[in-house]
Amino acid sequence: MAGFFVSAPVLAAAPPDAESASLPAQSASPSSIQPPRILFVEDYAGMRSLVDTMLESTFEVECAANYQEALKHIQETPFDLFLIDIDLDDDANGVDLLHTLHDHPTHRDTPTVACTAYVSPDERKRILNAGFDGYLSKPFRKERLVSLLWTFLS
């Protein structure tokens, strides 16, 4: 069985301390030294830990275990992107959270990416039609996750 391997560079933001140390103080601007802020909403603690570890060197990640925790985070913090599990283990699901975000004045235009184990073409279409900007099926590799997030942050 023949196969092939594709390799592509992934751009990563430098940690703020490393970047600011390499730039003269007068040329450093807040936007050039702050990594993008992402809220990852996922009910499974193992997945929250895995994604946090995958992204910690590139993004500033906050995690929420459910809809209610996510609401607390969005009231306190501006985010650059939301990564949301569809099947949250509470009364509200990821689509419900998406609609809440679209109604929120600060976050209505913030990119949202669904992160889900629903992988059928019909489910993907349903999720994107609900209003998500992107779709990521589980399981996934770090490179795919980072590349997809940068697509919406660029």
Side-chain angles (χ1 to χ4, degrees):
M1 182 169 161
F4 64 92
F5 179 80
V6 177
S7 177
V10 176
L11 300 175
D17 294 336
E19 190 171 282
S20 61
S22 66
L23 294 172
Q26 66 273 19
S27 68
S29 67
S31 64
S32 69
I33 60 173
Q34 295 297 320
R37 295 183 64 120
I38 295 173
L39 178 63
F40 179 43
V41 185
E42 164 70 51
D43 58 324
Y44 178 58
M47 181 60 79
R48 288 193 310 271
S49 178
L50 176 65
V51 168
D52 188 38
T53 300
M54 286 179 166
L55 299 178
E56 69 186 355
S57 66
T58 308
F59 304 102
E60 185 176 330
V61 179
E62 291 189 33
C63 295
N66 56 48
Y67 178 89
Q68 292 302 323
E69 279 186 31
L71 292 181
K72 290 177 189 172
H73 283 278
I74 67 171
Q75 296 304 323
E76 300 168 358
T77 307
F79 290 95
D80 299 303
L81 185 139
F82 297 102
L83 181 62
I84 304 171
D85 181 29
I86 295 300
D87 192 20
L88 298 174
D89 193 23
D90 61 3
D91 293 335
N93 63 32
V95 175
D96 297 325
L97 179 57
L98 172 72
H99 294 152
T100 299
L101 292 170
H102 283 174
D103 291 338
H104 193 278
T106 305
H107 295 298
R108 72 173 40 118
D109 297 321
T110 304
T112 54
V113 176
C115 180
T116 183
Y118 296 122
V119 296
S120 76
D122 288 342
E123 285 296 325
R124 183 180 194 277
K125 184 177 179 180
R126 179 185 67 82
I127 289 166
L128 292 173
N129 284 342
F132 281 92
D133 298 300
Y135 170 92
L136 179 67
S137 61
K138 299 174 188 175
F140 51 83
R141 295 179 186 259
K142 176 182 178 178
E143 295 78 12
R144 172 73 178 123
L145 173 60
V146 171
S147 175
L148 181 65
L149 297 180
W150 277 121
T151 298
F152 293 102
L153 291 166
S154 299

